[in-house]
Amino acid sequence: MTRNAVLCSFSACILFAMRAGGAAAPAEIDLMSGAGTVLDVDGGITRAFTSNPDTADVTVIDPSQLLVNAKAPGIATLVIWTAHSRRAVTVRVTGDIQPARSIIEQAFPNEDLRLAGSKDAIVINGKATSQDVLDRAAAMLKPFATTVITNAEVAPPRGVRQIALQILFAELDRTRADSFGANLLSTGAGNTPGRITTGQFSSVNPTQVQGTIGAANRGTSTTFNLSDALNIFAFRPDLNIGATIQDLENDGVLQILARPNLVASDGKEAKFVVGGEFPVPVVQAGVTPGAITVQYREFGIRLAFLPRITAQGTVTMHLVPEVSTLDQADGVVISGFNIPALSTRRVETDIEIRPGQSFVIAGLLDDRVTENLSRMPGLANIPLLGELFRSRDRTKTKTELVVVVTPELRYPLPENTAPPVPQMPEKFLPPVPAGKEPGKGMTKK
């Protein structure tokens, strides 16, 4: 027998043993839900069986081919019988997560996120730049699976950006007042003491009139008490005529400037208060009616703001700046307590602005004119001399207020860098010249 004949006989024996024993290793097939595949089987198919028809079913097409359909995620075993053998095939069916994978790739193109699993459970693997990205990806996958497991690695957080807010309060208050009026008095002109006044400005009041009525006027003396000489006073003893005149112009300028600065983290609220408190008596009711307790009210410079940095690089802020000062002129006195009023400038608004830009969030222009006129009927209509029987008091007030905000992004100072401190306008204590230090150049007595 030749060598080729021996080899052919050996191959035939092996093929016969495989067909007879059917001990070949089972094959494995991985399919997605809804997919199918065709298996080619040699030897003629006589029968086919599936252990889990809900996961995968099998249909014999012809004696050499059968069709496997994947229905739902799971595992099924197919057993195929032929005329000379038996064969087992393991089928693993997974859910179709390709639509979910496409949505994640479109929503996060710069993230390394990989999906695995089925419609019952999807696992997110890979790396995420922040926990917020991972949370948003899990929320987007909820419609595609019953359970979403986040197994991705989150990069260490970077330093939180800081926003520094600069507020500028600029207020200019201009006041101008002018007044004119005249009060005339006679200490005996025409043998008649008396006075003439419009009543707008203080006049003199007679306190004594000496003499006998009906007698000769010679030697009779009169006395007037000047409660307010105004700003011009004139008296002619030979004519027994005097006058007090009010003729003034006043100009006043008041400027209030505050510039509070405050630094806050992105998305965190910050508050800043510089000022004080003043007591306010409060009358109690109830068990002890009439009792007075003291409550305190704040005044000064206050600033509160909540910044957020948007994806466009702008800064949105809810801010409440306030500047208040004590106003003694408008205060009240209650039960012996002098309670001052408050002059307040307050703004509450929401704005969006780029870092480094300035924005005027509030402005006020208040222009007021107050004028009081008084005159004596008849005498005030005399040409030229009529001005002496008229008086006026005019006040003009003009207030300008501007509030400007400027946000800036700030970062910590590098290591070993001295922080900035306020600069003194002048040296507090100049250095002592050499040789004149205390204790040097002094002789003992």
Side-chain angles (χ1 to χ4, degrees), residues 28-76:
E28 295 183 358
I29 301 175
D30 292 328
L31 296 175
M32 286 189 178
S33 177
T37 187
V38 176
L39 294 181
D40 294 328
V41 180
D42 295 334
I45 301 173
T46 60
R47 195 169 39 154
F49 169 80
T50 175
S51 63
N52 191 355
D54 295 333
T55 298
D57 64 357
V58 58
T59 302
V60 178
I61 301 175
D62 55 38
S64 61
Q65 290 182 337
L66 56 86
L67 177 64
V68 180
N69 294 320
K71 290 185 176 181
I75 298 177

Side-chain angles (χ1 to χ4, degrees), residues 192-367:
T192 304
R195 67 172 182 175
I196 298 175
T197 177
T198 60
Q200 189 167 5
F201 303 107
S202 300
S203 180
V204 296
N205 296 314
T207 58
Q208 295 183 27
V209 178
Q210 297 179 357
T212 301
I213 299 176
N217 291 322
R218 186 178 182 82
T220 300
S221 63
T222 58
T223 302
F224 284 84
N225 181 25
L226 290 176
S227 60
D228 188 356
L230 301 183
N231 65 322
I232 300 176
F233 173 69
F235 179 69
R236 287 287 302 271
D238 56 337
L239 298 177
N240 289 328
I241 294 178
T244 57
I245 302 175
Q246 174 86 1
D247 192 6
L248 288 177
E249 287 188 4
N250 297 326
D251 289 329
V253 176
L254 172 65
Q255 183 175 2
I256 300 176
L257 181 65
R259 193 166 191 171
N261 297 334
L262 189 58
V263 179
S265 299
D266 184 13
K268 303 296 182 180
E269 185 180 13
K271 295 182 179 180
F272 173 86
V273 178
V274 175
E277 295 181 344
F278 65 95
V280 177
V282 179
V283 179
Q284 298 295 315
V287 181
T288 58
I292 297 179
T293 60
V294 177
Q295 296 182 357
Y296 287 86
R297 298 289 187 269
E298 291 184 349
F299 71 95
I301 300 173
R302 290 195 284 184
L303 173 61
F305 83 111
L306 176 62
R308 287 187 176 88
I309 301 177
T310 65
Q312 293 76 21
T314 60
V315 180
T316 60
M317 294 178 292
H318 176 79
L319 52 95
V320 187
E322 177 182 332
V323 174
S324 58
T325 56
L326 296 178
D327 186 1
Q328 299 291 347
D330 295 331
V332 296
V333 178
I334 300 177
S335 300
F337 293 94
N338 186 11
I339 306 174
L342 282 180
S343 177
T344 305
R345 279 76 68 192
R346 182 190 299 114
V347 180
E348 183 173 359
T349 183
D350 293 271
I351 64 172
E352 182 175 357
I353 190 174
R354 289 191 175 277
Q357 294 180 338
S358 298
F359 198 84
V360 178
I361 63 171
L364 172 66
L365 179 61
D366 188 3
D367 197 351

Side-chain angles (χ1 to χ4, degrees), residues 176-200:
R176 182 175 181 180
D178 62 84
S179 57
F180 176 79
N183 295 325
L184 303 179
L185 60 97
S186 169
T187 59
N191 297 326
T192 304
R195 67 172 182 175
I196 298 175
T197 177
T198 60
Q200 189 167 5

